[in-house]
């Protein structure tokens, strides 16, 4: 049931038009952060208001909507956002990655490759990849304009000098089409390679910071690295305890107070589908 | 044995039901009405209207009731509601000179046209708990007097006649609207004032206090503080003239600040300005002090590196709805990021451990 007091997908049409303009601009300049007049949403800033506004602007009544948080459809905030759109837009929802036309995500890219016609909407807390190197927005915008990314390389180099490795494991910066350095949102760097050459449209919404950016399908996205320290997508060196998958991203679950733990897929839909197909991990019942 | 967690939906529903029960409290105690909140907690209502940027005492009172008295939560409810409202147009600028003042004081002149009016202030109350209120809140009527006839002119205008204070910069270009355009730096004064008037009272107070203690000190006198109702007029295109559509209570503070003069300016007092919905004088004074501190550049002063001078620092962190949302989002699951950090730290420790063993062997 749609809540009659509000417009389809909550936002008024004027606001959606403003957001769509920002999205189109973002798609035209991949990786560039487009300022937009983010609205107060009925959920707190920092809880996906950017993603929600982007989803609201691109949703149509025929869409099938999926929401994941940490890869799972059943985490509380994913449940909350899904029911928000069930209520305000009355759209069909699904947990099956392949069935969804729009997927809103926080911190993960689904394991199953996305296809043409799908849209992946990321919730972004801090859209500026240079923010923790330079707190001033006026400065970072200048740095992007001048393609002045030396500071970022120095930071990565210092990591290597100090730790022997680049000490960034999530929100690992990428370069888009050889131009803009972009924050991929706090996905684990394991997911970074999936961003490049993706068949689906990728949209990024940062509500509190009032920024939208985008990657059109089949965009070149390269994780920053050095020739002698190449980028490496890493994950826990285990197989999923439930479905036995060797190549999905794993969460570590503590199962007793004596150091016992097991590893399970963070992508619940992927894991369930594998179990349904008869795959079994070593901890499966 | 671990199974993937299920049941988020039911947990959320049950949490909401419990919350509603807690909000109501002991049902043997009479329920609080929205009208009681509006009338008897009116300063809380004023704060919610000011920081919620919506002048509606009934809705603000409802929000306070729904939020169990958590004012930032109430402000959030109002903000989320206001953003859905259609815009019919903009009012004419309000004329605070025509304010029906409940309170009007100047700290710079002993007496002045329009008089000093204390009004309903806590200022000279002794902060002793009034135990009579536990039993009985009835009060005798306060004495009344007819207001002085005529407008109450602004104190700064008197100074201006002598050229002792800077001209208030006049600019008739329509200011940008903070709620309709993204905040971009550098922000002109009109935009800064919009952000400050809805800024968190505590944050603004802390910043203002820091200027008094030497972080960009600008020695402010309260030239004038006034509280009262002003009519709101709106130009109706079909009529071709402005009509009064209601009135709002405002608190306005104009500070007179020291200024030694610079290469381009003769010695002159300078201005800070605060204007807030409702009776919120702590906020209005704070706002005026921070406004003045942020004006360092246009007045040719030095940037001392003080937080209150730094427009990006002040404006990007003053909004309590943005701040509380982002702060509290760290309650959300971060398993995935944490897992990647775990892997990295384990790897770095493994390598560090290996190095130590090797060193010991050598």
């Amino acid at each position: 049931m749609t809540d009659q007091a509000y417009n389809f997908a909550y936002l008024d049409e004027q606001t959606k038009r403003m957001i769509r303009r920002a999205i189109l601009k973002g798609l035209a300049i991949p990786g560039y952060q487009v300022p937009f007049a983010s609205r107060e949403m009925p959920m707190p800033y920092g809880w996906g208001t950017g993603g929600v506004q982007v989803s609201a602007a691109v949703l149509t009544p025929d869409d099938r909507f999926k929401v994941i948080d940490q890869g799972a459809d059943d985490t509380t905030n994913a449940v909350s956002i899904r029911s928000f759109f069930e209520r305000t837009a009355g759209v069909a929802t699904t947990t099956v990655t392949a069935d969804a036309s729009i997927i809103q995500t926080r911190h993960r890219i689904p394991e199953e490759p996305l296809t043409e016609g799908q849209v992946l909407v990321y919730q972004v807390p801090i859209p500026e990849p240079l923010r923790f190197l330079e707190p001033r927005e006026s400065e970072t915008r200048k740095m992007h304009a001048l393609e002045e990314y030396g500071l970022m390389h120095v930071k990565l180099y210092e990591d290597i000098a100090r730790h022997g490795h680049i000490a960034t494991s999530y929100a690992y910066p990428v370069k888009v089409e050889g131009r803009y350095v972009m924050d991929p949102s706090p996905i684990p760097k394991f997911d970074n390679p999936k961003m490049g050459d993706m068949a689906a449209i990728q949209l990024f919404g940062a509500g509190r910071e009032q920024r939208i950016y985008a990657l059109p399908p089949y965009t070149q996205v390269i994780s920053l690295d050095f020739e002698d320290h190449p980028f490496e997508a890493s994950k826990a060196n285990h197989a999923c305890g439930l479905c036995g998958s060797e190549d999905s991203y794993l969460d570590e679950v503590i199962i007793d107070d004596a150091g016992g733990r097991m590893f399970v897929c963070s992508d619940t839909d992927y894991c369930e589908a594998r179990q349904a197909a008869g795959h079994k991990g070593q901890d499966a019942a | 044995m671990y199974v993937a967690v299920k049941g988020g939906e039911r947990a959320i529903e049950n949490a909401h039901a419990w919350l509603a029960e807690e909000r109501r409290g002991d049902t043997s105690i009479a329920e609080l009405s929205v009208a009681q909140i509006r009338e008897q907690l009116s300063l809380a209502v004023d704060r919610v209207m000011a920081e919620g940027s919506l002048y509606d005492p009934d809705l603000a009172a409802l929000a306070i009731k729904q939020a169990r008295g958590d004012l930032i939560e109430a402000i959030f409810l109002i903000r989320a509601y206001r953003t859905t409202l259609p815009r019919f147009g903009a009012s004419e600028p309000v004329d605070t000179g025509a304010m029906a003042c409940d309170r009007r004081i100047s700290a710079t002149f002993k007496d002045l046209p329009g008089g000093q009016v204390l009004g309903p202030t806590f200022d000279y109350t002794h902060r002793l708990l009034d135990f009579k209120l536990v039993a009985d809140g009835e009060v005798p009527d306060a004495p009344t007097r007819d207001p002085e006839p005529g407008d109450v002119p602004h104190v700064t205008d008197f100074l201006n006649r002598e050229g002792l204070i800077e001209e208030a910069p006049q600019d008739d270009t329509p200011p940008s609207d903070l709620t309709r355009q993204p905040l971009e730096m550098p922000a002109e004064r009109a935009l800064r004032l919009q952000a400050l008037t809805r800024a968190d009272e505590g944050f603004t107070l802390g910043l203002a206090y820091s200027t008094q203690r030497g972080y960009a000190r600008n020695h402010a006198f309260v030239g004038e503080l006034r509280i009262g109702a002003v009519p709101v007029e709106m130009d109706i295109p079909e009529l071709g003239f402005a009509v009064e559509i209601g009135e709002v209570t405002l608190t306005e503070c104009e500070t007179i600040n020291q200024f030694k003069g610079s290469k381009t300016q003769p010695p002159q007092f300078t201005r800070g300005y605060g204007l807030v919905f409702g009776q919120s004088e702590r906020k209005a004074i704070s706002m005026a002090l921070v406004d003045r501190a942020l004006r360092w550049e246009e007045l040719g002063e030095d940037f001392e590196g003080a937080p209150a001078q730094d427009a990006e620092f002040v404006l990007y962190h003053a909004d309590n709805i943005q701040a509380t949302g982002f702060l509290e989002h760290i309650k959300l699951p971060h398993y995935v990021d944490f897992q990647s950090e775990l892997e990295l730290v384990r790897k770095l420790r493994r390598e560090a451990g290996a190095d130590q063993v090797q060193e010991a062997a050598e």
Side-chain angles (χ1 to χ4, degrees):
Chain A
M1 251 306 267
T2 310
D3 230 315
Q4 293 303 321
Y6 294 104
N7 192 32
F8 175 78
Y10 184 76
L11 292 174
D12 59 282
E13 292 303 314
Q14 206 58 38
T15 301
K16 285 190 207 169
R17 216 166 293 156
M18 175 271 293
I19 295 171
R20 286 179 197 136
R21 275 197 291 267
I23 292 171
L24 288 173
K25 185 168 180 183
L27 285 167
I29 318 171
Y32 170 75
Q33 300 169 53
V34 184
F36 83 111
S38 176
R39 299 289 190 253
E40 276 101 353
M41 297 300 283
M43 58 271 289
Y45 283 118
W47 297 55
T49 55
V52 167
Q53 290 179 77
V54 168
S55 291
V58 298
L59 262 180
T60 67
D62 301 329
D63 274 311
R64 189 171 289 274
F65 192 53
K66 171 181 164 84
V67 189
I68 50 173
D69 186 341
Q70 315 296 301
D73 296 273
D74 212 49
T75 34
T76 41
N77 204 42
V79 169
S80 167
I81 290 171
R82 186 165 54 242
S83 68
F84 175 75
F85 282 111
E86 280 170 353
R87 189 171 155 194
T88 59
V91 289
T93 56
T94 181
T95 59
V96 180
T97 301
D99 290 352
S101 53
I102 298 174
I103 302 171
Q104 181 169 330
T105 180
R106 175 168 172 262
H107 294 190
R108 275 311 310 277
I109 297 175
E111 303 294 355
E112 191 177 330
L114 301 183
T115 54
E116 284 183 15
Q118 288 187 302
V119 179
L120 183 60
V121 178
Y122 296 77
Q123 300 171 201
V124 181
I126 305 273
E128 179 49 73
L130 306 170
R131 178 61 67 240
F132 301 111
L133 306 171
E134 167 54 61
R136 269 160 221 288
E137 179 67 15
S138 47
E139 283 302 315
T140 52
R141 286 192 82 78
K142 230 179 280 169
M143 290 160 76
H144 282 293
L146 300 172
E147 229 176 315
E148 201 183 286
Y149 295 128
L151 204 55
M152 180 63 92
H153 284 104
V154 170
K155 192 256 168 203
L156 298 178
Y157 169 76
E158 284 180 349
D159 273 2
I160 293 169
R162 192 169 302 144
H163 303 294
H165 298 276
I166 292 174
T168 299
S169 58
Y170 62 92
Y172 190 103
V174 297
K175 194 162 205 178
V176 178
E177 289 289 342
R179 176 59 179 87
Y180 284 99
V181 167
M182 185 188 96
D183 182 286
S185 89
I187 57 172
K189 67 177 185 175
F190 173 81
D191 281 339
N192 272 26
K194 298 178 191 166
M195 298 186 101
D197 250 349
M198 188 190 276
I201 294 174
Q202 301 175 75
L203 305 176
F204 300 78
R208 191 178 38 79
E209 299 279 342
Q210 308 186 312
R211 295 291 183 273
I212 283 173
Y213 52 102
L215 298 172
Y218 305 111
T219 299
Q220 184 201 57
V221 179
I222 292 172
S223 302
L224 299 182
D225 62 359
F226 297 101
E227 274 170 27
D228 50 345
H229 281 270
F231 172 82
E232 196 189 342
S234 61
K235 63 181 268 291
N237 193 17
H238 293 269
C240 171
L242 298 179
C243 79
S245 172
E246 301 267 348
D247 40 35
S248 72
Y249 191 77
L250 302 172
D251 283 341
E252 182 172 334
V253 182
I254 295 171
I255 48 177
D256 56 36
D257 59 1
R261 60 174 96 110
M262 66 180 280
F263 291 85
V264 291
C265 291
S266 104
D267 185 335
T268 50
D269 172 60
Y270 175 81
C271 192
E272 281 160 19
R274 275 179 57 88
Q275 290 174 66
H279 296 282
K280 240 180 183 184
Q282 57 169 13
D283 302 312
Chain B
M1 175 57 213
Y2 168 83
V3 283
V5 189
K6 283 278 173 196
E9 206 144 346
R10 218 181 65 219
I12 290 175
E13 274 169 29
N14 292 343
H16 290 174
W18 193 356
L19 174 69
E21 198 177 285
E22 287 289 311
R23 182 190 59 69
R24 176 61 183 85
D26 185 346
T27 49
S28 67
I29 309 283
E31 193 190 345
L32 197 56
S33 76
V34 166
Q36 285 171 336
I37 296 170
R38 186 193 65 223
E39 295 303 315
Q40 296 174 39
L41 298 177
S42 57
L43 297 185
V45 168
D46 284 350
R47 179 170 174 198
V48 170
M49 294 196 301
E51 293 171 37
S53 299
L54 182 72
Y55 196 91
D56 189 320
D58 288 299
L59 287 180
L62 169 63
I64 291 169
K65 177 173 175 169
Q66 186 180 333
R68 305 174 64 192
D70 179 339
L71 294 188
I72 290 184
E73 184 67 27
I75 291 160
F76 184 12
L77 289 167
I78 290 297
R79 287 271 192 95
Y81 174 76
R82 110 189 257 292
T83 195
T84 67
L85 299 175
R87 300 278 177 113
F88 297 120
S91 74
E92 297 287 305
V94 294
D95 176 10
T96 53
M99 179 184 279
C101 293
D102 287 343
R103 172 163 165 79
R104 191 277 192 123
I105 53 166
S106 169
T108 49
F109 295 98
K110 188 168 182 176
D111 198 11
L112 65 168
Q116 302 261 20
V117 181
L118 279 187
T121 174
F122 288 119
D123 282 357
Y124 306 102
T125 62
H126 296 141
R127 270 60 169 201
L128 304 169
L129 276 176
D130 181 0
F131 292 103
K132 273 208 315 263
L133 290 178
V134 176
D136 174 15
E138 295 310 314
V139 288
D141 290 342
T144 58
R145 205 188 80 178
D146 289 334
E148 306 262 331
D151 286 358
V152 184
H154 284 103
V155 170
T156 46
D157 292 345
F158 307 141
L159 285 171
N160 208 18
R161 246 167 258 152
E162 285 182 70
L164 289 175
I165 192 163
E166 57 162 336
E167 277 301 335
Q170 292 287 329
D171 187 355
D172 287 332
T173 49
S176 31
D177 180 346
L178 188 66
T179 66
R180 283 294 180 268
Q181 281 122 32
L183 177 61
E184 291 189 73
M185 296 292 163
E188 80 266 28
R189 190 176 180 207
L191 206 54
R192 299 198 301 255
L193 290 169
Q194 285 175 46
L196 288 176
T197 194
R198 54 157 44 189
D200 182 73
E201 181 175 309
F203 181 81
T204 317
L205 171 65
L207 279 175
Y209 178 48
S210 75
T211 68
Q212 292 185 291
R213 289 197 63 260
Y215 291 85
R217 186 166 186 268
N218 51 50
H219 199 89
F221 294 102
V222 172
E224 178 165 350
L225 177 73
R226 56 171 70 195
I227 302 173
V230 294
V232 177
E233 291 184 347
M234 192 171 154
D235 197 42
I236 308 293
E238 289 84 347
L239 296 178
F241 53 87
V243 294
E244 189 176 322
I245 55 169
E247 55 176 39
V248 295
T249 295
L250 298 175
T251 303
E252 183 186 51
C253 176
E254 288 183 279
T255 56
I256 300 171
N257 301 69
Q258 275 182 353
F259 185 45
K260 289 196 176 70
S262 70
K263 281 174 215 134
T264 53
Q265 301 277 6
Q268 241 181 348
F269 291 114
T270 57
R271 298 164 184 262
Y273 188 71
L275 184 72
V276 187
F277 275 157
Q279 182 173 344
S280 314
E281 58 189 73
R282 179 186 304 122
K283 172 67 182 290
I285 300 169
S286 301
M287 178 176 168
L289 263 59
V290 176
D291 168 50
R292 176 59 185 81
L294 289 172
R295 296 184 61 214
W296 63 273
E297 208 166 4
E298 67 201 59
L299 295 171
E301 296 170 341
D302 291 333
F303 179 68
E304 298 172 18
Q309 287 180 306
D310 186 333
E312 287 206 29
F313 180 83
V314 173
L315 301 185
Y316 279 128
H317 302 105
D319 189 286
N320 54 24
I321 302 308
Q322 292 176 354
T324 200
F326 196 58
L327 180 101
E328 296 198 42
H329 107 279
I330 61 175
K331 294 183 286 192
L332 287 175
H334 284 77
Y335 324 130
V336 163
D337 297 351
F338 185 67
Q339 187 63 39
S340 60
E341 291 281 78
L342 265 182
E343 299 299 333
L344 179 67
V345 171
R346 278 183 185 138
K347 182 173 170 185
L348 296 178
R349 284 176 61 86
R350 230 172 8 244
E351 284 167 14
D355 288 352
Q356 274 165 20
V357 173
Q358 205 172 8
E359 268 171 41
E362 284 162 8

